[in-house]
Amino acid sequence: MKYVVMIGDGMADYPLKELNDKTPLQTAHTPNMDYIASNGVNGQLKTIPSDMEPGSDVANMSIMGYNPQKYYTGRGPLEAASIGAELGDGEVAFRCNFITEQDGSLVDFNADHITTEEASELIETLNQSFYRFGKFYLGVSYRNLFVVEDHEMARLESTPPHDVVGEPIEEHLIQPADDERAKIINGLMVDSREILRNHPVNLKRVEKGKKLANMIWLWGQGPKPQMDPFKDKYGLKGATITGVDLIKGLGVYLGLTNVFVPGATGYYDTDYCGKAKYALKSLEDHDLVFIHVEAPDEAAHAGDVQEKIKAIERIDNRILGKLMDELPEYDDYSVSILPDHPTPIPLKTHIRDPVPYAMFSTGGISDDVDSYDEFKARKGSQGLKEGYRFMDNLLKYADP
Ligand SMILES: [Zn+2]
């Protein structure tokens, strides 16, 4: 049996006025998704536990079959894994953003999309100045890391910088403010201003009229998650295809093969056909592949309905279409389609509502649902399930 799990990030939505009260999934032309729904079984998944933030990392961890309430330790350790920074026992990884600070306020959470080359120079300087406290690692653009050898740092409360743009920095530093460890991390953030302000990188940015990368923001910290390898838990050799660091990081901890696809960008312009091609290739020596496409989520964050519909249709046509053509070379195969979480266009952000899923398998039963969308899935035979039950559900359905 070969398995494909197709994840369209943020695909699910609300009925929209501009689409005559239909959702983008209901509006888009998706013959392959509809084939999966009508020839397979349907249901709803609660991928985000009620007490957790609706992040893609949490949602994708659920879909891969691991309960985030038990295993999720933060964004930092997932990103560390994706850039090859292995965390030792007792180490804690913080996400380190370069931000723009002005008159005590957080003006830009990504420092005007600082380039990776510029970030590299700043990271080097930070490592020279702050080597006694921990180590900075270069990631991509404003998204970098800071690793400390002190597992107690994990319990501090930190704030995502994109949530507090325009607000006074003082009010959003690490809590509890009187904690000795919080004081250390807050000290690094505040002192970084002195070090970065007149850095050659920033002097050049002033000349170019760009906002300064004049402060670091440390957040999303945690130790490495302790998860059993996917192969041990589900008996399947798995692979992931994604342009997104957090999901690559999940793959690393689960022992999944992160398949490199040239042209997979994590944006609208991602190479859909390339993802299909590499998914098929990975199935030659793997049992299961998770294909993740970020584009519908990006379109929803931008509030762009047409771009979201286009992304859904490209997933259907260029990825699922190709797979449904080629997979019959295997006697038994299964294809599932789902989002990780809804990203409704009117809200431009993630929500924790359950997502619709459809799973098809050669030889598997089918229910009465005849097409794939948010509302039809509610009438499916699989009902509403906790997200981390998805893998069990899939195996039970496809390989009873
Ligand atoms: Zn997502």
Side-chain angles (χ1 to χ4, degrees), residues 3-7 41-47 59-67 230 234 288-290 334-339 355-360 372 382 384-398:
Y3 296 89
V4 175
V5 177
M6 177 72 238
I7 302 160
V41 293
N42 298 262
Q44 285 185 292
L45 274 188
K46 194 171 163 13
T47 53
N60 281 278
M61 181 182 279
S62 290
I63 293 170
M64 290 172 174
Y66 293 78
N67 183 352
F230 188 80
Y234 294 107
L288 179 146
V289 59
F290 292 103
S334 164
V335 184
S336 305
I337 172 79
L338 76 168
V355 298
Y357 72 96
M359 46 178 67
F360 162 81
Y372 176 68
Q382 305 300 294
L384 173 66
K385 289 189 162 60
E386 290 294 334
Y388 68 91
R389 299 275 181 214
F390 174 76
M391 276 306 304
D392 290 330
N393 188 186
L394 175 60
L395 297 187
K396 206 171 150 201
Y397 163 67

Side-chain angles (χ1 to χ4, degrees), residues 301-335:
H301 282 296
D304 192 333
V305 185
Q306 291 312 319
E307 200 65 55
K308 186 165 186 181
I309 292 172
K310 215 188 283 175
I312 292 168
E313 290 182 342
R314 285 174 174 163
I315 290 171
D316 189 89
N317 171 3
R318 298 184 189 175
I319 300 181
L320 292 174
K322 174 84 173 159
L323 293 171
M324 297 312 260
D325 277 351
E326 304 282 332
L327 283 171
E329 76 167 84
Y330 299 105
D331 290 336
D332 296 307
Y333 62 93
S334 164
V335 184

Side-chain angles (χ1 to χ4, degrees), residues 9-10 56 297 340-341 350:
D9 202 298
S56 294
D297 185 64
D340 50 351
H341 50 73
H350 305 176

Side-chain angles (χ1 to χ4, degrees), residues 16-207:
L16 304 174
K17 266 202 210 80
E18 60 265 49
L19 300 177
N20 296 319
D21 290 323
K22 286 185 174 171
T23 67
L25 269 177
Q26 288 175 314
T27 307
H29 179 61
T30 54
N32 294 295
M33 293 183 195
D34 295 340
Y35 180 91
I36 294 166
S38 68
N39 292 282
V41 293
N42 298 262
Q44 285 185 292
L45 274 188
K46 194 171 163 13
T47 53
I48 311 281
S50 312
D51 58 349
M52 295 185 80
E53 291 297 312
S56 294
D57 43 4
V58 171
N60 281 278
M61 181 182 279
S62 290
I63 293 170
M64 290 172 174
Y66 293 78
N67 183 352
Q69 278 172 309
K70 192 167 163 197
Y71 298 106
Y72 184 78
T73 59
R75 170 190 288 252
L78 295 178
E79 291 183 328
S82 84
I83 64 167
E86 209 171 304
L87 293 181
D89 294 325
E91 285 189 324
V92 166
F94 287 77
R95 159 66 92 75
C96 171
N97 276 46
F98 284 111
I99 65 160
T100 307
E101 176 266 350
Q102 206 180 325
D103 305 325
S105 288
L106 195 163
V107 175
D108 191 340
F109 73 88
N110 61 40
D112 224 349
H113 286 278
I114 178 174
T115 67
T116 304
E117 290 71 34
E118 290 171 315
S120 157
E121 288 183 46
L122 298 182
I123 290 285
E124 202 181 318
T125 300
L126 288 167
N127 271 328
Q128 283 162 7
S129 306
F130 292 150
Y131 67 92
R132 282 179 291 120
F133 300 96
K135 187 170 177 204
F136 290 86
Y137 288 86
L138 179 68
V140 176
S141 178
Y142 64 92
R143 306 188 299 270
N144 300 280
L145 283 167
F146 178 58
V147 175
V148 287
E149 216 182 308
D150 179 356
H151 70 277
E152 290 287 320
M153 290 280 188
R155 59 176 172 72
L156 299 175
E157 292 156 37
S158 60
T159 304
H162 48 265
D163 285 352
V164 293
V165 172
E167 296 183 25
I169 277 162
E170 198 72 16
E171 292 174 14
H172 300 289
L173 292 173
I174 306 266
Q175 297 292 326
D178 58 354
D179 180 287
E180 287 310 313
R181 290 182 170 86
K183 282 182 192 166
I184 293 173
I185 300 299
N186 287 333
L188 294 178
M189 295 193 336
V190 169
D191 292 349
S192 69
R193 293 186 294 189
E194 285 303 316
I195 293 164
L196 298 177
R197 185 181 299 150
N198 294 315
H199 193 282
V201 163
N202 275 322
L203 298 179
K204 279 187 219 145
R205 289 180 71 81
V206 172
E207 282 173 26

